[in-house]
Amino acid sequence: MTDFTATRAAFHLPEGMIYLDGNSLGPLPKSAAARVAQTVASEWGDHLITGWNACGWMDMPARLGDQIGRLIGAEAGHVVVGDTLSIKVFQALAAALKLNPHRRVILSDTGNFPSDLYMAEGLISLLGPDYELRLVAPEEVGAAITDEIAVTLITEVDYRTGRKHDMAALTAKAHANGVVTVWDLAHSAGAIPVDLAGAKADFAIGCTYKYLNGGPGAPAFIYVAPRHADMALPALSGWLGHDSPFAFDLGYKAGVGISRMRVGTPPVLQMAALDAALDVWDDVDLNDLRTRSIDLSERFIAGVEATCPDLTLASPRNAAERGSQVSFKFEEGYAAMQALIAHKVIGDFRAPDIMRFGFTPLYLILEDVDQAVERLARIMRDRLWDTPEFKQRKAVT
Amino acid sequence: MTDFTATRAAFHLPEGMIYLDGNSLGPLPKSAAARVAQTVASEWGDHLITGWNACGWMDMPARLGDQIGRLIGAEAGHVVVGDTLSIKVFQALAAALKLNPHRRVILSDTGNFPSDLYMAEGLISLLGPDYELRLVAPEEVGAAITDEIAVTLITEVDYRTGRKHDMAALTAKAHANGVVTVWDLAHSAGAIPVDLAGAKADFAIGCTYKYLNGGPGAPAFIYVAPRHADMALPALSGWLGHDSPFAFDLGYKAGVGISRMRVGTPPVLQMAALDAALDVWDDVDLNDLRTRSIDLSERFIAGVEATCPDLTLASPRNAAERGSQVSFKFEEGYAAMQALIAHKVIGDFRAPDIMRFGFTPLYLILEDVDQAVERLARIMRDRLWDTPEFKQRKAVT
């Protein structure tokens, strides 16, 4: 059994705050502060340029990739860390399209995170008007997978509602129709068990600052299935993805396997924080995590529905169809979330009317859920959100 | 007059080490350690997701961009920080090509850093075989700028030899021929005075971990001339470059001006280090910097030529034609550099035979140069490089 008391103790959780936004930015692992300080003072400070070899900086993207790989069911040696998720979406999508050269349609759904769609638009602006980004409602994705589709670009867990696609079933249908799959694991990695190899996924990408707790601006990751790894062309073909970066050849030659998905110089300080954050996962069983995630989420839903009649569940009621977040709709959701934050329960808001709550078993306990429900119930009952201050919108991530 | 005693004191320089590799990775600014620690412990630790607004993280790419902008002669509000240099090369090149839609040739030179060429190759792999990356010798770039060329992709200062292109003259010739310019300032920003606005440059990109001392994996920057800023399409069209990122629209609409060149979530810890590093530049006059850079470089050349007959100057002899580095050719340059590093003079090696030395006036003094020459002279005279250990190559950046 996973020791969640130990994992909770590994995080710095501000006194009195109930943090239900680990699906946006995970909290600080206590060991990350020392790990980053060491990287700055000793590695950068004392080793300077020699740190790339002496301190293992150059190998970190692959080493951290493997640590993440274990959490998403990837074969060892097939995940690498770097860039941002948007950049990795672009790389995966460009590579996937090249593997299916006679088709022109990218299929996604309207529940996908917009940046994935924007990056697809940008890619199409380069590839030309023959290409099409086709959007359907999330429930219609399965039916829309036909032999006209080149690539599916699907986020497994919906960033607003928490609705979870069936990765294995959709991938099987895609393959039966000659379609290449790109799975975005932004709200999956570290949130639910993922089995990329078992589902025979082709490409996957994700970020590390949400459930993996890598810190603000932590790098993304990319997975390429072993069967594609030496054929997939990265499009963003930077020198660190070259077969021999330090030969400084004038022409590009893609590196072996996943290494070709590296682009430029990796962010060493961010990787140091991520390194510490991933250590917390060493003894975590993802099935235990899932059980606990469902316990926390179900308790929250029951509590809110019992005490907040103005809030409507926006997530699937069936736990098996959700990721590790729960969302409620409320017309004045922005103001209500501001009020809740002022009462030290941190969730977030997604336009137009979604109040979003992440349930992250590494550091949340049932008592946190009960307190969050209690504070939310009071805000709703007493209309504490109904002030000009809370209604005035500012950009939040 | 710039107080270079003060700027030298701002850096952590390991005891006994003479660091001539600030053109690869700048040393640690003393204030960066505290700044990063504060960002980790207080900003991330205590503010968590609210740090994006409360701690100004969301605005940092533009704020740091403006600090860099002052050093490269950019108009205020036209530089933004993010991603890696390779990614910014791709963005600038893709945007520049779209501004010149009837032409198909990208002109670069064989002295360009290979990653720039690789990214151009990758872009062409998406745009199609009508496009061409044309490489000429560095001395032939001027003559090769004709009305056939769509875009020039030129690194102002050659990463191996330090040879400096004439940005104003080449840009003028480009414009006379209807060519759009992309300038890579990797070895210019913080090394020499740059006047993007004066030269009428169209696009510029650069990195911040060399002369700007932002730390290992520090983010890149991109400049778009004001006249193009609201027309240039970023191709890598991520959500933070959207006109209204938090509206979560399904369709992309490019943001105002330089903000559209933002892509994904920016690396907050790296930006914190860069923030501290850029503060060191507050009272630096770039003309003073240039004078001192030339003094240091000339003294090194004179010293090496007087004492190391086996080394041949690979940089231009005329200081006006160099950036802030000096390179020497030596067939066993790799081994000689390893021996020199073992004697605590840190330079680097670039294949096939270049020994490269950066002269960074913020923290180097003439005595450093004299000591470096002395140690190098002894290594060459006594053939201290001629050991199996030093001849065995490992990858270094």
Side-chain angles (χ1 to χ4, degrees):
Chain A
M1 269 302 281
T2 304
D3 180 358
F4 288 111
T5 306
T7 59
R8 178 177 168 93
F11 290 92
H12 171 72
L13 300 168
E15 188 69 31
M17 179 191 284
I18 297 171
Y19 193 63
L20 306 182
D21 210 3
N23 52 327
S24 255
L25 175 66
L28 172 65
K30 287 174 184 166
S31 61
R35 179 78 179 78
V36 172
Q38 185 212 334
T39 300
V40 171
S42 157
E43 297 187 4
W44 175 15
D46 291 335
H47 288 84
L48 297 109
I49 189 66
T50 65
W52 286 104
N53 289 316
C55 306
W57 298 343
M58 196 50 86
D59 300 325
M60 283 184 89
R63 183 167 65 75
L64 299 181
D66 270 344
Q67 285 190 265
I68 294 165
R70 182 183 80 79
L71 303 177
I72 56 176
E75 299 87 346
H78 288 274
V79 177
V80 76
V81 153
D83 303 298
T84 63
L85 177 50
S86 294
I87 294 294
K88 286 330 199 192
V89 166
F90 187 94
Q91 266 194 310
L93 195 52
L97 284 172
K98 291 267 179 198
L99 292 178
N100 219 348
H102 302 299
R103 300 188 187 182
R104 295 289 177 268
V105 182
I106 301 163
L107 176 67
S108 191
D109 71 64
T110 55
N112 203 346
F113 188 67
S115 200
D116 292 31
L117 308 178
Y118 304 160
M119 295 306 287
E121 266 194 63
L123 178 59
I124 288 174
S125 78
L126 301 174
L127 291 172
D130 289 356
Y131 285 81
E132 175 193 343
L133 171 62
R134 186 173 298 171
L135 296 184
V136 299
E139 315 76 56
E140 291 162 14
V141 164
I145 296 176
T146 65
D147 62 11
E148 191 194 1
I149 306 299
V151 176
T152 55
L153 173 62
I154 303 176
T155 297
E156 187 185 20
V157 176
D158 187 299
Y159 77 106
R160 280 179 306 197
T161 64
R163 175 202 35 72
K164 190 168 81 67
H165 277 302
D166 185 336
M167 181 188 290
L170 291 179
T171 302
K173 173 138 197 213
H175 290 174
N177 285 274
V179 177
V180 181
T181 57
V182 177
W183 285 101
D184 183 336
L185 305 179
H187 293 269
S188 306
I192 57 175
V194 177
D195 184 8
L196 289 176
K200 299 192 168 56
D202 300 284
F203 293 84
I205 62 253
C207 65
T208 65
Y209 47 74
K210 298 179 183 289
Y211 294 88
L212 298 178
N213 314 301
F221 64 83
I222 184 167
Y223 162 83
V224 181
R227 64 190 176 280
H228 300 312
D230 285 321
M231 282 183 305
L233 295 173
L236 301 173
S237 42
W239 71 307
L240 290 183
H242 192 281
D243 186 55
S244 185
F246 296 94
F248 300 104
D249 296 334
L250 292 179
Y252 183 74
K253 183 184 170 198
V256 173
I258 193 68
S259 72
R260 62 182 56 189
M261 293 295 163
R262 294 179 64 163
V263 185
T265 304
V268 172
L269 308 189
Q270 303 282 163
M271 291 194 299
L274 177 58
D275 194 16
L278 290 174
D279 286 345
V280 178
W281 292 91
D282 277 352
D283 300 315
V284 174
D285 179 307
L286 287 167
N287 293 312
D288 294 345
L289 186 91
R290 179 64 170 159
T291 301
R292 196 172 160 96
S293 155
I294 291 173
D295 287 350
L296 293 162
S297 306
E298 297 277 283
R299 189 163 180 127
F300 185 73
I301 293 171
V304 172
E305 293 196 324
T307 57
C308 304
D310 292 338
L311 301 191
T312 310
L313 184 66
S315 301
R317 188 163 299 278
N318 178 358
E321 296 168 15
R322 287 195 311 262
S324 197
Q325 70 168 72
V326 170
S327 301
F328 283 90
K329 279 178 195 272
F330 175 48
E331 202 177 33
E332 293 286 354
Y334 180 84
M337 184 53 76
Q338 296 309 305
L340 193 59
I341 291 169
H343 286 78
K344 295 204 154 189
V345 176
I346 316 295
D348 63 18
F349 173 80
R350 286 293 176 258
D353 59 0
I354 296 275
M355 297 176 72
R356 194 171 74 153
F357 304 90
F359 293 94
T360 48
L362 288 192
Y363 48 86
L364 289 179
I365 55 179
L366 291 172
E367 288 75 4
D368 292 329
V369 173
D370 293 345
Q371 279 210 35
V373 169
E374 200 180 302
R375 295 186 206 175
L376 178 58
R378 191 154 68 85
I379 285 164
M380 295 305 297
R381 189 193 62 211
D382 298 345
R383 293 178 65 90
L384 298 180
W385 53 266
D386 195 4
T387 73
E389 181 203 347
F390 292 144
K391 286 175 149 176
Q392 188 192 350
R393 296 201 181 194
K394 281 175 292 193
V396 287
T397 54
Chain B
M1 271 300 283
T2 304
D3 179 358
F4 288 110
T5 306
T7 60
R8 179 175 167 93
F11 290 92
H12 171 69
L13 301 167
E15 189 68 33
M17 179 192 285
I18 297 171
Y19 192 63
L20 307 182
D21 210 2
N23 52 328
S24 257
L25 175 66
L28 172 66
K30 288 173 184 166
S31 61
R35 179 78 179 78
V36 172
Q38 184 212 335
T39 299
V40 170
S42 157
E43 297 187 4
W44 176 15
D46 290 336
H47 287 84
L48 297 110
I49 190 66
T50 65
W52 287 103
N53 289 317
C55 306
W57 299 343
M58 197 49 86
D59 300 327
M60 283 185 86
R63 183 167 65 75
L64 299 180
D66 270 344
Q67 284 189 265
I68 294 166
R70 181 184 79 81
L71 305 176
I72 56 176
E75 299 87 345
H78 289 274
V79 177
V80 76
V81 153
D83 302 298
T84 64
L85 178 50
S86 294
I87 294 295
K88 287 324 196 195
V89 165
F90 187 95
Q91 266 194 310
L93 195 52
L97 285 172
K98 290 269 179 196
L99 292 178
N100 218 348
H102 302 300
R103 300 187 187 182
R104 294 291 177 266
V105 183
I106 300 164
L107 176 68
S108 191
D109 70 65
T110 55
N112 203 347
F113 187 67
S115 201
D116 291 30
L117 308 179
Y118 303 160
M119 295 306 287
E121 265 193 65
L123 177 59
I124 287 173
S125 78
L126 301 174
L127 292 172
D130 290 356
Y131 284 81
E132 175 194 344
L133 171 62
R134 185 173 298 171
L135 296 184
V136 299
E139 315 77 56
E140 290 162 14
V141 164
I145 296 176
T146 64
D147 63 10
E148 191 193 1
I149 306 300
V151 176
T152 55
L153 173 62
I154 303 176
T155 297
E156 187 184 19
V157 175
D158 187 300
Y159 77 105
R160 281 181 306 199
T161 65
R163 173 202 38 71
K164 189 169 82 66
H165 277 302
D166 185 336
M167 180 188 290
L170 290 179
T171 302
K173 173 137 197 215
H175 289 174
N177 284 275
V179 176
V180 180
T181 58
V182 177
W183 286 100
D184 183 337
L185 305 179
H187 293 269
S188 305
I192 57 175
V194 177
D195 184 7
L196 289 175
K200 298 191 170 55
D202 299 286
F203 293 83
I205 63 252
C207 65
T208 65
Y209 48 73
K210 298 178 183 290
Y211 294 90
L212 297 179
N213 314 301
F221 63 84
I222 185 167
Y223 162 84
V224 181
R227 64 189 175 281
H228 301 311
D230 285 322
M231 281 183 305
L233 295 174
L236 301 173
S237 42
W239 71 306
L240 290 184
H242 192 281
D243 185 54
S244 184
F246 295 94
F248 300 104
D249 297 334
L250 293 178
Y252 183 73
K253 184 185 169 196
V256 173
I258 193 69
S259 73
R260 63 181 57 190
M261 293 296 163
R262 293 180 66 164
V263 185
T265 304
V268 172
L269 308 189
Q270 303 284 163
M271 291 195 300
L274 177 58
D275 194 16
L278 291 174
D279 285 346
V280 178
W281 291 92
D282 277 352
D283 300 316
V284 174
D285 179 308
L286 287 166
N287 293 311
D288 295 345
L289 186 92
R290 179 65 170 159
T291 300
R292 195 171 160 98
S293 155
I294 291 174
D295 287 349
L296 293 162
S297 305
E298 296 277 283
R299 188 159 178 131
F300 185 73
I301 293 172
V304 172
E305 292 196 324
T307 57
C308 305
D310 292 337
L311 301 191
T312 309
L313 184 66
S315 300
R317 188 163 297 280
N318 178 358
E321 296 169 15
R322 288 195 310 263
S324 197
Q325 69 169 74
V326 170
S327 300
F328 282 92
K329 278 176 194 273
F330 175 49
E331 203 178 31
E332 292 285 356
Y334 180 84
M337 184 53 76
Q338 296 309 305
L340 192 60
I341 291 170
H343 286 77
K344 295 204 155 189
V345 177
I346 315 295
D348 64 18
F349 173 79
R350 284 294 176 258
D353 59 359
I354 296 277
M355 298 176 71
R356 192 170 76 150
F357 304 91
F359 294 94
T360 47
L362 287 191
Y363 48 86
L364 289 178
I365 55 179
L366 291 172
E367 288 74 3
D368 292 329
V369 172
D370 294 343
Q371 279 210 35
V373 169
E374 202 181 300
R375 295 186 206 174
L376 178 58
R378 191 154 70 84
I379 284 163
M380 295 305 297
R381 188 192 63 211
D382 299 344
R383 293 178 64 91
L384 299 181
W385 53 266
D386 194 3
T387 73
E389 182 203 347
F390 292 144
K391 285 173 152 178
Q392 189 193 345
R393 297 201 179 194
K394 281 176 293 193
V396 287
T397 54

